[in-house]
């Protein structure tokens, strides 16, 4: 397998992880009959975002890099809030 094919696979993997977050959120919301963002949503967001950022850096696409990097800041911050809130509830 050549380098281009490997990076294309990385890009598709990142997109699959990123898209999976919507499925996770949809299934959880359907179960609870309200809009819910489970913690897995943020993990898929981060996994997909990191993978897509790596792909964007490889492609040297500044628009794609900026979009993924700024999104990652938001995903990590939201995950922090979820973890912090859970710790407060369990304290």
């Amino acid at each position: 397998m050549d380098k281009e094919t490997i990076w294309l696979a990385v890009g598709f993997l990142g997109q699959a992880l990123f898209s999976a977050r919507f499925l996770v959120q949809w299934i959880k919301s359907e179960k609870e009959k309200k809009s819910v963002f489970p913690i897995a949503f943020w993990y898929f967001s981060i996994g997909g975002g990191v993978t897509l950022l790596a792909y964007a850096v490889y492609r040297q696409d500044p628009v794609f890099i900026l979009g993924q990097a700024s999104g990652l800041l938001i995903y990590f911050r939201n995950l922090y809030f979820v973890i912090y809130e859970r710790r407060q509830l369990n304290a």
Side-chain angles (χ1 to χ4, degrees), residues 4-90:
E4 284 298 316
T5 303
I6 291 170
W7 276 107
L8 192 59
V10 168
F12 278 118
L13 172 64
Q15 191 59 52
L17 288 170
F18 200 71
S19 296
R21 71 193 195 133
F22 294 114
L23 291 173
V24 167
Q25 192 269 334
W26 176 43
I27 291 167
K28 183 71 170 173
S29 292
E30 286 295 324
K31 280 184 179 180
E32 296 197 23
K33 305 292 185 209
K34 64 180 182 176
S35 183
V36 177
F37 290 90
I39 196 166
F41 178 89
W42 301 114
Y43 284 118
F44 276 111
S45 297
I46 291 167
V50 166
T51 309
L52 287 171
L53 178 59
Y55 181 73
V57 168
Y58 171 74
R59 292 285 178 196
Q60 299 179 358
D61 184 329
V63 174
F64 196 11
I65 291 168
L66 179 63
Q68 291 304 317
S70 59
L72 281 169
L73 294 173
I74 295 165
Y75 309 145
F76 275 112
R77 185 70 171 153
N78 281 314
L79 182 59
Y80 166 79
F81 286 139
V82 170
I83 292 169
Y84 180 79
E85 181 181 6
R86 287 183 179 186
R87 285 187 182 156
Q88 293 298 315
L89 291 174
N90 292 328

